[in-house]
Amino acid sequence: MIKRTLALILSLALLCCAFVGCGREAKHSDAFKIGTSEIPKTLMPYVSSHSSNTYVANMVYDTLLGSVAEPLDYNFPDGTSYVAPDDDNYFLFSDRLCKVEGAYPRKEGSDYGWIQFEPTAEQYETQLKRKGIQKGFDEVGDPIDETDEEFAIRAERAVPAHNWMEYRFEVRDGYTWNDGEPFTADDIVFTFQYALKNAGSLASVAYFLDSYYESYVDNGDLVLILATNKLSDIRTICSSILILPEHIWSEIRRPAQEKNLDPVGTGPYLAPSSDYIDDNSMTLIYRDDYNPAFAAEMFSGDPIKKITLLRLQNEDVTLNSLLMGDIDTSLDSLTAGKAYTVNGNDRYAGLNVSSYDSEFVATLALNVGKNGAFNPDKMKNSDMVRQAISLAIDQQGLIDSVLYGNGTTVGDGLVQSTLPHALKNADGSYADHVTDIERAKKLLDEAGYPADASGMRDLSFKILASTGSETLVNAIGKQLKEALGITIVFDLAKSDYSEVIKQSNGADFDMIINSVAFSTDKLLMFDARFGRYANGSARVWNVTGVNDETLSSLMWDMDTETDIYKQYEKARAVQARVAELYVEIPLYCSKNYCVYTDKNYTGWIQMKQGSVLNDYSMKYLKPAK
């Protein structure tokens, strides 16, 4: 009883500090309030991946195109229904600064969309030089021996010599910057050029422009030329790069040092520094001059006039704030354990928890690289051992023990069943991960690793993982020990983790807990994850060190396919080969949990694969009566 009383006093004290102590409840009483563990210390849109920074940026800035997401219920509060995009809109784009027509193959009679063309010799040489591709030197400038034929192959891999893509977008009328200046296609061109010029400071943006060759304005339209024959290269350019105002940012010489506390964007909200209170809260104000036609697209009725983000110390403070109606939702996902506690608990009556599959699949990556424990030259019958480990993994068992039963199993192709390019069986069913302990034991026996009298084998591995992964590593270790007699040890990743796992640095770990995301707009991530450059060095995310010619050939065919549905088929062939190699074993797809209350606002829209704090909720939320 005493412990419960002390816990209640402590939670109330924390809540008092979060609101009353800072005097914020009065200041923000008329706002839609969102809790978050961190308030952006700068409103520069590219300096943080934290959810609060991303949320603010998306309210202030726009991208070339938006995206369409699928709601859980097709019926909306205003009586309208969700209409799925047609098959031609395979990227699920929506209009934003430009019209979606520009991102798809140009149809007869239209000026907009993409066409393919043959680059001139000068264009090709220019792009090779930009990317540092020079005969006799590798990508970092070190001398190498190569023939003309070898260089041509390496150059083609870096920059396709044929079928470049020219896009033409119609820029929508009616957008203005929030300081009153008109928005034009020149601002888009400026943003691309500025990001590339300041690639060191804006690396995350410049990365999306890897295939960029040129852009310019023609009669008010945006013309964008990409030195690529890869269909998916346009995806992140259209939906991830926030467009900057040239009249402001052309004067900013050092973007890495820019605080940008009064950001000028084309979005519906302002983020004035006068409502940015240290690192405890910030407020977004709806623009009085926002185009009524765009407002009608974005909001069903009157828009929310004020959105306030409040910094809260932890999950318990967040939940208590929701119970009291002091905030309406949180940008931070609940942990699986806390979500399990809240669901069905009378203590939290009035709170709603919405769950959805995350984009990421947790995996166990096995190092087959030069110095890896599973390198075939170092381990006899490595392929059989890897397959046995895969067959011993019980995904549902991991979900039950680590995620309280809230997760989804994933096939060995690493792509979730909900995505259109997921690997399927001959009968059209999803190709699930297979657990077969007896077969796994037989494989190890045949591979030359028999079990002793106690059931243990002469196989011991370390799993490199960060703090917080101990439960998962222990669960994997328990399964492999009980099923196969393999010993697993937890190896804590240190601050240099990102450098340690790079194959180019001679990575020598045994296994790592990893994650993958192969959604429809990231098909090319297969190449980044399992590919090698033409000079033999591993690509950035190829942490397993796999070097398989069959897989490389399949990925190249997939990457260069410009028919999206044929590309899906080729992606399935890639997945089938990945599954055969057993270098990255899927563990599960975890769920994200967002929490909200109807005390102050109603009209929340849950997504099939997204947070409850989404464009649909922003459109339909209304003050509770």
Side-chain angles (χ1 to χ4, degrees):
M1 181 68 180
I2 294 175
K3 289 183 178 179
R4 290 177 60 190
T5 303
L6 287 173
L8 179 60
I9 293 172
L10 178 59
S11 65
L12 289 174
L14 288 170
L15 194 61
C16 182
C17 175
F19 286 96
V20 178
C22 298
R24 290 187 282 171
E25 77 279 29
K27 177 177 177 59
H28 306 297
S29 60
D30 60 340
F32 174 68
K33 295 181 286 295
I34 303 171
T36 178
S37 59
E38 181 180 335
I39 298 293
K41 294 178 173 60
T42 166
L43 301 184
M44 172 41 178
Y46 306 116
V47 296
S48 171
S49 60
H50 192 271
S51 57
S52 63
N53 196 83
T54 303
Y55 180 82
V56 172
N58 289 337
M59 292 288 102
V60 175
Y61 297 92
D62 283 301
T63 52
L64 264 68
L65 299 174
S67 60
V68 180
E70 189 175 6
L72 192 63
D73 186 348
Y74 278 23
N75 298 313
F76 295 127
D78 62 357
T80 59
S81 297
Y82 170 76
V83 178
D86 58 41
D87 288 342
D88 288 342
N89 191 353
Y90 42 77
F91 284 138
L92 301 182
F93 282 139
S94 65
D95 291 336
R96 195 62 69 91
L97 295 174
C98 295
K99 294 187 177 180
V100 298
E101 184 181 4
Y104 295 100
R106 189 173 302 178
K107 295 181 178 179
E108 186 176 353
S110 174
D111 293 329
Y112 301 104
W114 60 260
I115 58 173
Q116 289 190 306
F117 70 97
E118 293 298 296
T120 66
E122 182 181 0
Q123 287 176 315
Y124 188 63
E125 291 297 326
T126 297
Q127 192 70 359
L128 285 178
K129 184 177 180 180
R130 285 177 179 173
K131 301 195 74 171
I133 307 300
Q134 183 181 0
K135 186 177 183 302
F137 297 89
D138 64 15
E139 285 78 1
V140 296
D142 294 331
I144 56 174
D145 292 326
E146 62 180 344
T147 64
D148 289 342
E149 183 179 2
E150 289 171 336
F151 173 68
I153 294 173
R154 183 163 67 94
E156 172 69 22
R157 288 278 177 163
V159 179
H162 305 283
N163 295 324
W164 285 15
M165 305 182 78
E166 178 184 303
Y167 292 82
R168 190 181 187 97
F169 291 91
E170 181 180 0
V171 177
R172 300 176 75 192
D173 292 330
Y175 276 104
T176 62
W177 298 104
N178 62 36
D179 62 358
E181 290 291 318
F183 162 80
T184 71
D186 291 296
D187 294 298
I188 302 175
V189 173
F190 166 78
T191 299
F192 295 157
Q193 295 174 346
Y194 187 81
L196 291 171
K197 180 181 178 181
N198 297 278
S201 302
L202 306 179
S204 61
V205 185
Y207 173 78
F208 295 144
L209 295 168
D210 181 64
S211 61
Y212 176 90
Y213 178 77
E214 183 183 18
S215 62
Y216 58 90
V217 179
D218 181 32
N219 197 28
D221 296 332
L222 169 68
V223 178
L224 173 63
I225 297 175
L226 300 182
T228 185
N229 52 15
K230 298 178 181 180
L231 180 66
S232 298
D233 278 11
I234 195 66
R235 184 63 175 87
T236 47
I237 292 175
C238 284
S239 60
S240 299
I241 297 178
L242 301 170
I243 305 304
L244 305 173
E246 181 177 10
H247 68 282
I248 299 292
W249 286 80
S250 60
E251 301 299 321
I252 298 175
R253 306 302 181 191
R254 296 181 176 84
Q257 300 174 18
E258 173 62 27
K259 294 296 184 182
N260 196 37
L261 293 182
D262 287 292
V264 175
T266 54
Y269 287 90
L270 298 165
S273 60
S274 58
D275 284 303
Y276 189 98
I277 312 301
D278 298 324
D279 61 348
N280 291 313
S281 74
M282 67 170 299
T283 298
L284 299 166
I285 306 294
Y286 182 73
R287 291 174 54 183
D288 291 334
D289 66 339
Y290 194 62
N291 187 308
F294 297 155
E297 292 178 9
M298 187 170 291
F299 305 103
S300 176
D302 293 332
I304 294 174
K305 300 295 185 183
K306 185 187 292 186
I307 303 171
T308 294
L309 278 68
L310 299 169
R311 187 173 68 85
L312 303 178
Q313 286 90 339
N314 54 49
E315 282 185 305
D316 290 318
V317 172
T318 296
L319 293 174
N320 282 324
S321 300
L322 284 159
L323 284 170
M324 297 176 65
D326 291 324
I327 61 171
D328 302 297
T329 187
S330 174
L331 275 176
D332 303 308
S333 294
L334 291 181
T335 60
K338 189 62 69 174
Y340 179 78
T341 301
V342 171
N343 275 323
N345 189 334
D346 291 341
R347 162 76 174 82
Y348 297 104
L351 301 192
N352 305 301
V353 177
S354 173
S355 66
Y356 58 96
D357 286 343
S358 71
E359 187 179 34
F360 295 96
V361 174
T363 68
L364 182 65
L366 313 184
N367 189 355
V368 297
K370 180 175 64 175
N371 298 316
F374 294 89
N375 183 301
D377 294 332
K378 297 174 60 176
M379 171 185 280
K380 65 178 181 179
N381 297 317
S382 169
D383 57 336
M384 298 172 73
V385 176
R386 301 196 309 269
Q387 184 179 1
I389 291 173
S390 177
L391 289 169
I393 294 294
D394 174 8
Q395 289 190 6
Q396 190 58 52
L398 295 179
I399 291 170
D400 292 340
S401 60
V402 178
L403 302 177
Y404 303 89
N406 294 306
T408 306
T409 59
V410 183
D412 292 326
L414 303 177
V415 173
Q416 301 98 312
S417 62
T418 53
L419 296 176
H421 59 291
L423 182 61
K424 299 177 182 178
N425 297 311
D427 62 0
S429 61
Y430 179 64
D432 287 301
H433 170 79
V434 175
T435 301
D436 189 334
I437 304 301
E438 293 307 312
R439 185 178 167 203
K441 289 179 178 178
K442 188 175 181 179
L443 277 169
L444 290 181
D445 291 341
E446 293 174 356
Y449 301 94
D452 61 21
S454 67
M456 298 301 293
R457 301 176 192 266
D458 186 22
L459 289 170
S460 177
F461 305 105
K462 291 181 179 181
I463 297 182
L464 182 64
S466 57
T467 301
S469 298
E470 294 92 341
T471 302
L472 175 56
V473 172
N474 289 338
I476 294 170
K478 185 173 186 292
Q479 287 189 0
L480 294 182
K481 181 178 181 180
E482 293 179 354
L484 301 180
I486 293 176
T487 301
I488 294 296
V489 178
F490 177 75
D491 186 13
L492 179 63
K494 299 182 175 62
S495 58
D496 59 349
Y497 168 82
S498 61
E499 293 301 314
V500 167
I501 65 173
K502 288 182 179 179
Q503 291 294 329
S504 57
N505 291 342
D508 61 357
F509 62 87
D510 298 343
M511 309 174 176
I512 57 172
I513 297 297
N514 215 358
S515 65
V516 301
F518 296 127
S519 58
T520 53
D521 62 327
K522 294 180 180 175
L523 291 176
L524 302 185
M525 284 293 290
F526 280 107
D527 193 39
R529 195 165 200 89
F530 301 114
R532 284 182 173 270
Y533 294 110
N535 67 356
S537 63
R539 288 191 180 274
V540 178
W541 289 290
N542 185 350
V543 298
T544 65
V546 64
N547 186 11
D548 183 74
E549 288 300 324
T550 300
L551 180 59
S552 295
S553 178
L554 290 170
M555 289 188 297
W556 180 256
D557 288 343
M558 177 194 68
D559 288 353
T560 56
E561 177 58 63
T562 56
D563 181 307
I564 189 69
Y565 300 105
K566 291 180 180 178
Q567 190 180 60
Y568 287 170
E569 288 301 320
K570 292 180 178 181
R572 295 186 184 102
V574 170
Q575 292 168 64
R577 184 57 182 165
V578 168
E580 291 172 351
L581 293 172
Y582 299 103
V583 292
E584 190 149 18
I585 302 166
L587 303 175
Y588 50 66
C589 178
S590 61
K591 290 187 178 294
N592 287 331
Y593 303 91
C594 48
V595 60
Y596 62 100
T597 175
D598 296 306
K599 291 180 181 293
N600 302 318
Y601 285 87
T602 60
W604 299 91
I605 304 296
Q606 295 189 38
M607 306 296 295
K608 281 194 173 180
Q609 290 180 297
S611 168
V612 72
L613 190 57
N614 54 63
D615 288 346
Y616 293 115
S617 288
M618 290 303 300
K619 182 171 185 175
Y620 295 109
L621 281 174
K622 298 289 183 292
K625 296 180 180 178

